[in-house]
Amino acid sequence: MQIVVGRGRETPESYAQSIHQLAERFPCVVFVPADEEAHSKGAEFLEEAARFQYDEIRQLSPNVLPHVSGSFHDALDRYVESQRREYTEPTIDGPTLTGFGAQVVSTVKSLKARHNDVPLATFDFDGCQHIIDYWRNRPETIDKRIKPPRIMAKDTCENHIAELQRFFRWLHRSKAYSWRKPDDYDDLKTLVKSLPEERTSVVRRTERKFYLPDELAIINKYATPLERLLLLLGLNCGFKGAEMGTLLPGHLFLDEPHPNADYLSQVSEYDCRPSDRFIIYSRNKTTVDGEFLLWPQTVTVLRWALERRDRIVNELSVPYPNLLITEQGTLFHRITKGEKNRSQIFNNKWRALLKRIQRDYPEFKEFPFKSLRQTASDLVRQVADGETAAVFLMHGQPVREDDLIDLYTKRPFGKVFEALRELENGKLKGVLDAAPDDPIAQPAQQYTPLKRQEQIVQLKKDGKSVPEIAEVVGVSKHTVTRTLTRLYYKPKKKKAKS
């Protein structure tokens, strides 16, 4: 049965739409337009209008439309390219990937290793939740160096989920792909699950993860001048490798008073002494300002570091302005050639120092280099308060309840200075006193552990002979003689020629 539909005074588009609505309402009837030309023009108009509405349609049903194309791995590769452009900064060596950019590259590589190259069309709500659940449930490690495999750390899984979320946001905005976030994307569950033993364990609250003052004293005693510099910058300023590596000579106020001494005196009620020296620094990661009163030993070692830097710059014509440069003329704080991570110079030097200590003290604890920052901040908080510790750490929001306070007030650096002065003369006095009389003297090659050297000297003071000392200490007589010559006997002064 066919029904002819007249046009009347309708426009072509209205006429075509009327016939379409009749066809939808009565699917068993065939409707024929009386004015075929007007119907054809109206249908073309509606088709063109539909194309304009296509983007809106895609947002309503992004992952069921046939032409949502592209694969997961291909999109990840393009995502990495965009992140490289975003997180590359100009340096003396040319455009260089930032630390965060290197972390993105590493995490995306891990995602590709863990997940199949599936079509992007599979990432509807359930698909997105499925891939996030993989990390929420803490998979096992696949690193061949870790035997047997263990459940991945919670923060590692959190980092992977955060990267996936950044990837999905990028993919939603990318013009290269038609994929769009599902309507209920914000309802995705992202909380990484804790293990039962983690939820019930008290280890996290009771385990010490930083050094005590008596342990720091041993470290300072065994350190070389360069190692002592790293130790003191960690304790005196709460610096980690990133802060030490980006420290410039212009941050050091070693020969001039504090530029805001009047403000400190009249507002912060801190009176700068003539001998006070400071570091004024802006944190590379967050550009948050930090100011630190330097202990005399820190000043001494920093002056040595400046001379060391100038020597390397002059000998090798190094263009870098940084304070810490290797003897080969490269930066301490830099991305490795493979762009996998930052240089491990700080960690390597710290482990070498601890290894020497453990020759004499096998049970000496081995906390990571970054533990110095935690050690320092805990000490500052104990002698001051939480806000002072947060200012010392250069946190972006030292007062948790007020995220705008830094716009209207200056940070209370005077309280930080008072806390550091109290630590110098109190809890850390023994640490600073443990250094040699000349803290920048380069120790001789130590074939004999320091503890045995001290034992040899003490036995000599007690009147023991060289053979007796060698037998007690368990070394050769030649070693005893060499040690005593260097540490016990005073070298005879040569007479001046007339």
Side-chain angles (χ1 to χ4, degrees), residues 471-487:
E471 183 177 356
V472 172
V473 179
V475 296
S476 67
K477 290 185 286 184
H478 177 70
T479 298
V480 174
T481 303
R482 185 178 65 242
T483 302
L484 291 176
T485 301
R486 184 166 57 87
L487 300 178

Side-chain angles (χ1 to χ4, degrees), residues 12-13 15-16 33 35-47:
E13 56 269 20
Y15 181 47
D35 188 342
E36 292 185 4
E37 183 179 356
H39 177 268
S40 178
K41 290 182 179 179
E44 290 179 1
F45 177 86
L46 293 176
E47 184 179 352

Side-chain angles (χ1 to χ4, degrees), residues 72 98 172 264 311 339-340 357 367 376 379 387 472 477:
F72 182 40
T98 66
H172 176 79
L264 290 170
R311 172 180 56 79
E339 292 188 343
K340 292 183 178 180
I357 295 173
F367 296 128
L379 289 167
E387 181 190 4
V472 172
K477 290 185 286 184

Side-chain angles (χ1 to χ4, degrees), residues 219-383:
I219 294 175
N220 197 16
K221 179 179 179 180
Y222 277 70
T224 64
L226 182 56
E227 294 165 346
R228 185 167 293 111
L229 172 68
L230 305 185
L231 171 68
L232 292 176
L233 285 177
L235 293 178
N236 199 160
C237 308
F239 283 179
K240 291 194 295 186
E243 289 76 36
M244 297 183 195
T246 53
L247 193 64
L248 307 178
H251 296 137
L252 311 181
F253 289 75
L254 305 184
D255 299 302
E256 55 187 297
H258 194 288
N260 293 320
D262 291 341
Y263 174 88
L264 290 170
S265 176
Q266 298 180 38
V267 179
S268 298
E269 297 182 354
Y270 176 85
D271 291 325
C272 294
R273 300 174 182 174
S275 59
D276 284 351
R277 297 295 179 263
F278 301 89
I279 282 180
I280 300 179
Y281 175 82
S282 182
R283 194 178 181 193
N284 184 52
K285 181 179 180 180
T286 60
T287 68
V288 174
D289 294 336
E291 297 184 9
F292 309 93
L293 172 69
L294 299 177
W295 302 322
Q297 191 172 124
T298 308
V299 173
T300 300
V301 180
L302 280 172
R303 293 189 187 280
W304 169 85
L306 284 171
E307 294 177 358
R308 173 185 177 276
R309 175 197 173 278
D310 292 342
R311 172 180 56 79
I312 296 173
V313 168
N314 292 331
E315 290 178 355
L316 304 178
S317 299
V318 175
Y320 305 120
N322 306 61
L323 178 68
L324 288 177
I325 304 172
T326 68
E327 293 290 341
Q328 292 72 38
T330 58
L331 293 175
F332 271 51
H333 183 68
R334 67 183 190 277
I335 291 287
T336 57
K337 291 184 178 179
E339 292 188 343
K340 292 183 178 180
N341 47 39
R342 286 287 178 186
S343 169
Q344 295 298 305
I345 290 179
F346 293 101
N347 292 327
N348 291 341
K349 290 191 175 298
W350 185 250
R351 283 193 292 266
L353 170 58
L354 296 180
K355 186 176 180 180
R356 291 203 309 275
I357 295 173
Q358 288 170 343
R359 291 173 62 187
D360 288 340
Y361 301 92
E363 302 300 322
F364 194 85
K365 293 184 178 296
E366 188 171 343
F367 296 128
F369 178 64
K370 64 181 181 180
S371 67
L372 288 177
R373 178 173 169 84
Q374 187 174 356
T375 303
S377 60
D378 182 74
L379 289 167
V380 169
R381 186 175 186 181
Q382 297 304 321
V383 299

Side-chain angles (χ1 to χ4, degrees), residues 112 160 201 266 374 415 419 494:
K112 291 180 67 176
H160 281 74
S201 175
Q266 298 180 38
Q374 187 174 356
K415 293 181 180 180
K494 294 183 180 180

Side-chain angles (χ1 to χ4, degrees), residues 420-466:
L420 291 172
R421 179 167 287 166
E422 184 173 345
L423 288 175
E424 176 196 355
N425 299 315
K427 297 180 184 296
L428 294 182
K429 186 177 186 303
V431 176
L432 300 172
D433 290 344
D437 294 336
D438 184 0
I440 61 173
Q442 189 68 35
Q445 182 96 20
Q446 295 182 359
Y447 298 101
T448 305
L450 182 59
K451 191 174 182 180
R452 287 191 178 184
Q453 294 181 39
E454 294 176 341
Q455 186 181 9
I456 290 171
V457 172
Q458 185 58 50
L459 288 171
K460 181 62 179 178
K461 291 180 179 179
D462 294 340
K464 301 292 185 180
S465 65
V466 169

Side-chain angles (χ1 to χ4, degrees), residues 379-439:
L379 289 167
V380 169
R381 186 175 186 181
Q382 297 304 321
V383 299
D385 51 46
E387 181 190 4
T388 304
V391 173
F392 172 78
L393 290 171
M394 294 179 285
H395 281 175
Q397 188 178 338
V399 181
R400 182 171 298 178
E401 295 78 11
D402 191 348
D403 58 354
L404 298 176
I405 192 168
D406 281 342
L407 297 178
Y408 301 100
T409 64
K410 291 182 69 66
R411 294 191 165 210
F413 292 119
K415 293 181 180 180
V416 175
F417 301 160
E418 291 288 0
L420 291 172
R421 179 167 287 166
E422 184 173 345
L423 288 175
E424 176 196 355
N425 299 315
K427 297 180 184 296
L428 294 182
K429 186 177 186 303
V431 176
L432 300 172
D433 290 344
D437 294 336
D438 184 0

